[in-house]
Amino acid sequence: MTNTRIEHDAFGPVSIPAGRYWGAQTQRALAVFGRGREQFPACLVRAFGQQKLACLQANVRLGAVSTDLSNVIERAAQELIDGKFDDHFPLSVWQTGSGTQTNMNANEVIANRANELLGNERGCKSPVHPNDHVNRSQSSNDSFPTVMHLTTLLELRTRLLPALTKLRVELKEKATVWCDVLKIGRTHLMDAVPMTQGQVFDCFAQQITHGIARIEACMPRLRMLPQGGTAVGTGLNAPAGFDLAFCEALTHITGERFEANPCKFEGMGTHDALVEVSGALNVLAVSLTKIANDIRLLGSGPRCGLGELQVPDDGLTSSIMPGKRNPTIAEVLVQAAMQVIGNHTTITLAGASSTFELNVAKPVLIQNLLQSIDVLSDSVNIFSEKLIKGLDVNRARLASNVENSLLMATVLNPLLGYDRVAQITQKAAQEGLSPKDAAVALGFMTAEQYDQQVKPETMI
């Protein structure tokens, strides 16, 4: 049994590994671009199955593809959606800027599988042809950006937004549980006036709430698809109403509402909507960095740091210092955020690579965007489950900090005036006194008067 088969395209015969479902154009692309180590994730491959299935249903509805072939093409597309052909997309991300080779890869896999289901050999292109049937009423120029929108929306919906929602719940729970735990706030890294640990975590939860809202705000533009624009946006070779029929079919297939972009030129020639999503992820990365780093610092110690938070033990330690515990999970989240911030620069440049009627940096744009969603989804889930959920406070350390804080005397400003309070804090700092003892020593008030005025729980 031979290990290869021969397929033909417009340029002649091509030798293809016998066990593979891709065809001549994919094999030629492999010779040009190579496999590479960076390939599109499975979610994009499966989204192509959904896009091809919706195109088929629209074509059948409008009479552009015979119903005699529709069932077998639909079966093949569904198998692609189900992940049965993930290994049959060998191409590198580093291909033509329109993503044409990956679109052709999808056409060939579906066509070969459909013909096989009919009892024919792979590569025969009959009765199902990769271009004439699977790619009917389409171009890579409208199909690939449609898949970009589809994959991004589905990954946000099914992975990142649930992860963020879970994190917000955990942060809100800590904010509630610690609503009466007093601590000293810090500005410029220095001691400030009192607040509660609950207020710290309520701030974190609010950051995540805003992050979710920013992502949700991008959704209307993601739902607008350029499918039906074909080569340049005019809809050449697509039947009238194809864009509307496609969106109706895709909505039914995915359960997510999609609508036709009324300006296909904008949807194909630019990717502003995807740059917008990346911008929301960039802000989210900044928020997560603040949250993770604050927790790292507040948990520093256990004896020579701030030591206000007790970070749960992850079972890992130092290679040289026995028993040392590090905030590894927080460091994971910070590194993921760094990747997202870097990806946003690439995505911004890719989005700016729109010339005339086509953006020619689609593969690198969607690769980086999907990576951003992926690393954030995974790291946020780990952060919620393995750090925030088990986080605790060091109540003794917090109480000691509050009792000895110099800036507790700030509440005396209306009574004594700024200058006298400054004398209190200066004397306390220089002589190692509490603010109370310093105020009494200066003769500004009695101990009883100080206690009546300086009550931390009333200052928050």
Side-chain angles (χ1 to χ4, degrees):
M1 182 177 179
T2 180
N3 293 324
T4 61
R5 70 174 188 274
I6 300 298
E7 286 198 21
H8 294 78
D9 61 10
F11 301 103
V14 182
S15 178
I16 299 171
R20 297 302 183 178
Y21 282 90
W22 66 72
Q25 278 293 296
T26 303
Q27 191 65 38
R28 289 189 188 279
L30 278 172
V32 175
F33 304 117
R35 281 179 175 266
R37 289 175 295 176
E38 294 174 289
Q39 298 177 347
F40 289 121
C43 60
L44 183 133
V45 170
R46 297 173 189 184
F48 255 112
Q50 294 172 315
Q51 180 262 339
K52 296 300 177 185
L53 178 56
C55 283
L56 171 69
Q57 293 178 357
N59 277 318
V60 170
R61 174 177 166 182
L62 298 172
V65 171
S66 168
T67 54
D68 295 340
L69 298 178
S70 62
N71 287 341
V72 71
I73 297 175
E74 183 164 335
R75 282 182 60 189
Q78 186 60 53
E79 289 183 355
L80 182 54
I81 295 169
D82 294 340
K84 295 184 178 180
F85 298 111
D86 290 352
D87 293 337
H88 296 263
F89 284 75
L91 297 177
S92 167
V93 169
W94 311 112
Q95 56 181 272
T96 188
S98 61
T100 298
Q101 283 72 49
T102 294
N103 180 47
M104 282 298 298
N105 194 163
N107 294 332
E108 291 173 338
V109 167
I110 292 173
N112 273 326
R113 177 55 177 158
N115 286 322
E116 183 179 62
L117 289 170
L118 290 170
N120 300 311
E121 293 182 357
R122 298 176 199 170
C124 65
K125 297 186 180 180
S126 180
V128 179
H129 192 281
N131 297 82
D132 295 339
H133 299 106
V134 184
N135 200 60
R136 187 63 178 263
S137 308
Q138 306 158 60
S139 164
S140 299
N141 296 350
D142 63 345
S143 292
F144 199 89
T146 293
V147 170
M148 291 166 74
H149 276 234
L150 172 59
T151 315
T152 299
L153 187 141
L154 293 179
E155 288 294 285
L156 290 173
R157 275 273 176 245
T158 61
R159 298 193 60 208
L160 183 55
L161 286 173
L164 291 173
T165 300
K166 181 166 65 176
L167 175 58
R168 179 172 60 180
V169 168
E170 294 291 343
L171 292 172
K172 277 287 189 183
E173 183 175 330
K174 297 301 184 187
T176 300
V177 171
W178 296 334
C179 66
D180 60 350
V181 179
L182 291 171
K183 62 163 286 172
I184 296 300
R186 293 181 179 86
T187 57
H188 303 275
L189 302 181
M190 308 300 284
D191 298 351
V193 294
M195 59 186 298
T196 70
Q197 197 67 272
Q199 289 168 330
V200 172
F201 279 76
D202 188 63
C203 169
F204 296 161
Q206 191 62 41
Q207 284 185 281
I208 301 305
T209 296
H210 289 321
I212 292 171
R214 290 186 185 98
I215 293 171
E216 292 282 5
C218 299
M219 291 297 185
R221 267 78 65 197
L222 284 180
R223 296 182 189 280
M224 296 174 62
L225 304 179
Q227 196 77 61
T230 66
V232 299
T234 61
L236 179 68
N237 290 349
F242 179 81
D243 55 348
L244 300 177
F246 169 82
C247 288
E248 289 178 11
L250 189 63
T251 296
H252 178 74
I253 291 165
T254 63
E256 291 284 350
R257 179 182 54 80
F258 292 100
E259 58 185 275
N261 190 328
C263 181
K264 306 295 188 293
F265 305 101
E266 186 272 340
M268 294 163 57
T270 78
H271 293 313
D272 296 347
L274 297 171
V275 177
E276 179 186 13
V277 172
S278 182
L281 300 185
N282 189 62
V283 178
L284 177 62
V286 170
S287 298
L288 292 169
T289 299
K290 187 262 194 300
I291 294 169
N293 277 336
D294 276 9
I295 290 174
R296 288 174 61 225
L297 292 170
L298 291 171
S300 61
R303 294 189 175 180
C304 301
L306 297 180
E308 293 187 3
L309 292 177
Q310 296 174 340
V311 177
D313 189 1
D314 58 14
L316 305 176
T317 188
S318 164
S319 65
I320 188 173
M321 294 172 280
K324 189 174 188 294
R325 292 166 51 183
N326 299 319
T328 56
I329 303 301
E331 291 167 6
V332 166
L333 185 59
V334 171
Q335 290 178 85
M338 291 175 182
Q339 184 67 57
V340 172
I341 292 167
N343 284 352
H344 183 54
T345 298
T346 299
I347 292 166
T348 301
L349 292 170
S353 295
S354 296
T355 307
F356 304 131
E357 282 66 59
L358 188 67
N359 176 287
V360 289
K362 301 181 194 299
V364 69
L365 193 160
I366 192 60
Q367 172 75 356
N368 277 265
L369 186 55
L370 292 177
Q371 186 192 42
S372 290
I373 296 171
D374 181 55
V375 298
L376 284 177
S377 300
D378 286 347
S379 59
V380 166
N381 272 324
I382 293 171
F383 188 67
S384 297
E385 286 292 323
K386 298 186 178 180
L387 195 153
I388 300 299
K389 183 171 286 188
L391 198 61
D392 205 352
V393 291
N394 185 334
R395 293 175 183 265
R397 176 69 64 87
L398 291 171
S400 175
N401 288 347
V402 170
E403 182 180 352
N404 293 293
S405 172
L406 299 177
L407 280 307
M408 293 292 293
T410 300
V411 75
L412 299 174
N413 283 1
L415 180 67
L416 301 178
Y418 185 95
D419 290 339
R420 282 191 171 186
V421 174
Q423 292 179 52
I424 293 173
T425 58
Q426 184 178 23
K427 183 176 181 65
Q430 290 175 345
E431 300 179 19
L433 302 173
S434 69
K436 176 179 176 180
D437 291 339
V440 172
L442 288 167
F444 293 156
M445 55 189 359
T446 65
E448 291 76 16
Q449 289 173 326
Y450 184 94
D451 289 338
Q452 289 175 355
Q453 296 294 325
V454 183
K455 298 178 180 179
E457 62 274 10
T458 67
M459 299 168 63
I460 58 175

